[in-house]
Each structure stands twice: as C-alpha cells, then as structure tokens.
Amino acid sequence: MKPIQSAAALLALFVGHLVPAGVAAQSRRLVEDFRILPAESDSLAFSAIADIESGRGGRVYVLQPDLRVVQVFDSSGKRVRVIGRRGSGPGEFQFPLRLGLKQDSLWVWDPTSARISVFDEGGRLQRTISLGTVGSARLLASGEVAIKRYDEDAVRDGGVARLRAPLLRYSAGGAIVDTLLHLDADSVGPLRIPVAAGMAQGQQPFTTTPLWAVSPSGTSLVLVERNLASRPGDAIYRIRRVSTAGRVIFVREVKYTARRLEDADLEAVVDAWVARLTSSERGRPSSGTVRRDQVRRAIYRPATLPPVGDILIGSDDSIWLRRVDSRSGNTASWIRFDATGRSIGEVEAPVEAQLMRASATHVWAVVRDTDGVPAVVRYRVQ
C-alpha cells in the first residue's frame, strides 16, 4: 500500500460543507457515578495511571507504569487480578504506557522493551510482539500493529529542521509492512522543565503537532491537522479518518475562531505544571518562584491558541476533541463528532478530569486530588 502523503487532492471528493465547531443545542455534561480508589495502605495504591480500559461484565483495567502492573477490578470496584510485574522476561514490564482489549485478549504496550504483550482473560501470556523500535504503538483488529515511530534523523522541509515521525504498520510477527501516514512533528520540540530529580518532559501545550488516535476496534485511525492561525480570526482545522488498510473514509474541515494567546492562557498552563510537579515531588524541597520561571520559559508561545488539544475515540467510533480555548471555571469543553465526521455537540467535563475512554453513555477518566493522588472515575454523559 502506498503511504498517504496529503489529503489535498482528495478534498473535492471527501470534504462536504464546513462543519461548525459545536452544536449548543446538543450540549451535554459529565456526572460522576462510580469511583475506584484503593486505600493508601494498599501496596498497589494508585500513584501514576497511564491508561484505563473497560471490558465486558463491568471489568476495569488500570495500567500503572511505575509499579509495572495492570490491575483488574470487577463492576463493584473490587480488585480481582494483577497482571504483569517488573522485569524484562515474558509477561513482564519495564515501563508500560498503553493497553487495550481485542476480543477476549488484553494487550499492553511497553515502549522501553519495544514490545506488545498479549494476555488472555485470566492474565496468562498468550504471545509477544517485538517491534525493535521506540514510539507509540496500538494493536489493530487484524493482529498487526500501528506505531508512531520517532526517527533520529532530522529532515529539511522548506529550510526548517523537522523530525519525521511516520505512522507505520507492522505485521503480527514484528516486521514493517508499510506506512499508514506521515506525521511530521513540528520544530518546537517537547516541553522540558528542570526539576530536583533531573528533567520533567511533556508535550508542548500550544503547537501544531498533529493529533492521532486508533479506534478501540482497531479498524481505523483518526488524524487531526491543526495548523495554527497566524492571527486571530476565522480559521479551520481538518479531521481525517483512514482505515487501517489505508482507505480514506472521510476528510472534514472544521471552522473555528482563532483567539490570541493571552498572558492568562499561559499562566493557567504554568499553574497546572507547577501543581503537577509539586505533587509528584512531595517530600522534596520546593523551588518556588524559580520553578515557575523555569516552567514559563520552557513553554512555546505562538500568536494564537491551537483549536484543540486532545483526542479520544469512543467505542462507538465517535471522535472527541478537547477545545483549548474553552476552559472556564471548573469545566472544559469536548467537541464530539460521529463516526462519519458529523458534529454532534459538546460535552462539558470537569477541568481536572483526564479523559481516557468514552462511549455514547459513559466516560472513564483519571482525577487527582489536591495531594496529587489519582482515582479512576466513571462519568455518565447527561
């Protein structure tokens, strides 16, 4: 299959009318209806949570990279199983960051060991897919793997150094099959903040890096191209859905009003990072104002805000995009599109909730308390 270089030549066929950014008449909100939080005295008490998955019978799978385990809870929130442990042997993890369900199997991506481990419902290892490359991987419905691989070589594009990050398809045996999409990362680079323990790293909050996600079914990919507007005013971003075989399912252009990035926007991000670093370094001396200045200097500041900041694909193939300019008080707005790219309204979510899984009726998220302790929370879409 030939790689898909650009949607430009396909727009006449696949782009319908410009889709508005939201439909107020269909606005929804999230209401908490279930929470999982082990006791602090529990040896497997939550600290860091990288991913959540919900399965049949109300099972909930919680991935903890620092403990190198997946905890499995029943519908009442009782722990019924622990999968994995620290190590480099079969079924062990070094620092796992992603999980998912494929029929009756649970898969876990461990980028440090560059492999996907597949377990049965009882937690027994079924097989291992070794990829031999770093990046962000997802298991597909076919048993193949999609991975956004980061190459070390910078390439020249219009005189600007950029890092090429292709989205590749690997066979179930770990061999490269082809390229699904070319995802060039922008030249800004990641957010790097000096801390007492070394260097904290994250994604820049105001960049043009494309957002991408694989549907829970593993049958399609969604790419959001979010080029920043050079000045405030009317602008668009583009949503593209592609099958894992490379067929373009749709391309949609979404209108939005680009807003100037104000000092208050920057300070809100600085506040969030300072709070996160402080809670993660409890017991260590705080660097106070120095740390705040370091955070501020590390953040890339363009002229306008990007339209959206996060992506989530629902179990019903709906597309959820978090609006960057929508944070007001205690809520953040997520724009929803159906499986065909049609706008179906917005959902107001608690601003502190890190959304990880969604369906037409429920959302799973991680929420941290004032001490930085995370809980797994299920919300009802109301």
Side-chain angles (χ1 to χ4, degrees):
M1 182 189 72
K2 294 181 179 179
I4 300 172
Q5 301 288 350
S6 171
L10 298 168
L11 290 181
L13 294 176
F14 293 98
V15 177
H17 64 282
L18 288 173
V19 180
V23 181
Q26 297 184 17
S27 179
R28 301 285 187 267
R29 65 189 182 97
L30 299 184
V31 178
E32 180 178 336
D33 68 2
F34 183 62
R35 179 176 288 241
I36 301 175
L37 181 61
E40 290 186 15
S41 58
D42 192 327
S43 61
L44 295 176
F46 293 155
S47 49
I49 298 176
D51 206 357
I52 303 169
E53 182 63 283
S54 60
R56 62 184 185 181
R59 291 285 175 91
V60 183
Y61 301 82
V62 181
L63 178 60
Q64 292 182 260
D66 54 340
L67 298 182
R68 280 74 169 177
V69 298
V70 177
Q71 294 197 58
V72 186
F73 298 88
D74 64 17
S75 59
S76 69
K78 177 184 177 182
R79 184 189 301 118
V80 296
R81 185 170 296 110
V82 176
I83 299 173
R85 62 182 181 183
R86 185 189 301 266
S88 56
E92 297 176 334
F93 307 129
Q94 294 188 44
F95 203 78
L97 289 179
R98 191 76 180 186
L99 58 72
L101 293 173
K102 180 178 175 290
Q103 297 176 346
D104 296 332
S105 300
L106 171 76
W107 60 266
V108 182
W109 165 241
D110 186 345
T112 303
S113 57
R115 69 187 184 191
I116 286 180
S117 300
V118 183
F119 303 87
D120 65 16
E121 286 188 314
R124 292 176 291 272
L125 182 67
Q126 292 180 317
R127 68 183 186 279
T128 299
I129 305 173
S130 296
L131 301 175
T133 186
V134 296
S136 182
R138 309 287 188 271
L139 188 64
L140 303 178
S142 62
E144 297 172 314
V145 177
I147 179 170
K148 182 180 179 182
R149 191 182 73 182
Y150 300 95
D151 290 345
E152 296 297 330
D153 298 329
V155 297
R156 288 284 167 178
D157 182 6
V160 178
R162 298 168 68 89
L163 192 65
R164 187 170 296 278
L167 185 59
L168 303 175
R169 182 155 60 105
Y170 276 67
S171 71
I176 295 177
V177 177
D178 54 22
T179 301
L180 290 170
L181 294 168
H182 282 302
L183 306 176
D184 285 347
D186 60 21
S187 57
V188 175
L191 182 66
R192 293 189 176 94
I193 305 169
V195 295
M199 187 73 68
Q201 181 167 309
Q203 183 177 342
Q204 286 283 358
F206 308 121
T207 70
T208 62
T209 306
L211 299 174
W212 70 281
V214 175
S215 64
S217 63
T219 57
S220 67
L221 306 96
V222 174
L223 175 71
V224 180
E225 299 163 299
R226 48 178 187 158
N227 295 330
L228 285 177
S230 58
R231 60 180 181 274
D234 292 341
I236 63 169
Y237 62 92
R238 184 172 296 135
I239 304 173
R240 184 168 18 148
R241 187 169 221 134
V242 181
S243 74
T244 51
R247 179 177 62 86
V248 176
I249 299 172
F250 70 77
V251 179
R252 294 286 185 267
E253 290 187 336
V254 184
K255 295 189 297 185
Y256 78 102
T257 300
R259 183 167 70 78
R260 188 182 307 279
L261 196 159
E262 306 289 354
D263 289 343
D265 302 314
L266 178 64
E267 293 308 312
V269 174
V270 173
D271 288 343
W273 268 99
V274 169
R276 181 185 307 179
L277 293 172
T278 301
S279 65
S280 67
E281 293 188 7
R282 283 173 292 171
R284 299 193 184 114
S286 173
S287 54
T289 302
V290 174
R291 170 172 292 164
R292 188 175 184 85
D293 291 343
Q294 290 173 329
V295 172
R296 189 181 294 108
R297 285 196 298 268
I299 296 173
Y300 168 67
R301 183 172 183 174
T304 64
L305 286 168
V308 291
D310 291 310
I311 183 172
L312 182 66
I313 309 300
S315 58
D316 57 353
D317 274 347
S318 59
I319 302 167
W320 296 54
L321 302 176
R322 181 181 57 80
R323 286 178 51 188
V324 172
D325 66 349
S326 68
R327 294 195 174 201
S328 176
N330 296 321
T331 63
S333 293
W334 287 75
I335 311 167
R336 290 192 301 164
F337 302 85
D338 67 14
T340 67
R342 181 177 64 90
S343 177
I344 54 175
E346 296 190 9
V347 173
E348 296 297 319
V351 71
E352 70 275 9
Q354 182 183 358
L355 275 58
M356 292 191 170
R357 289 290 186 271
S359 69
T361 59
H362 287 87
V363 169
W364 288 93
V366 173
V367 177
R368 290 181 177 271
D369 65 17
T370 55
D371 291 325
V373 178
V376 173
V377 178
R378 185 182 67 195
Y379 294 95
R380 183 176 67 258
V381 181
Q382 180 172 293

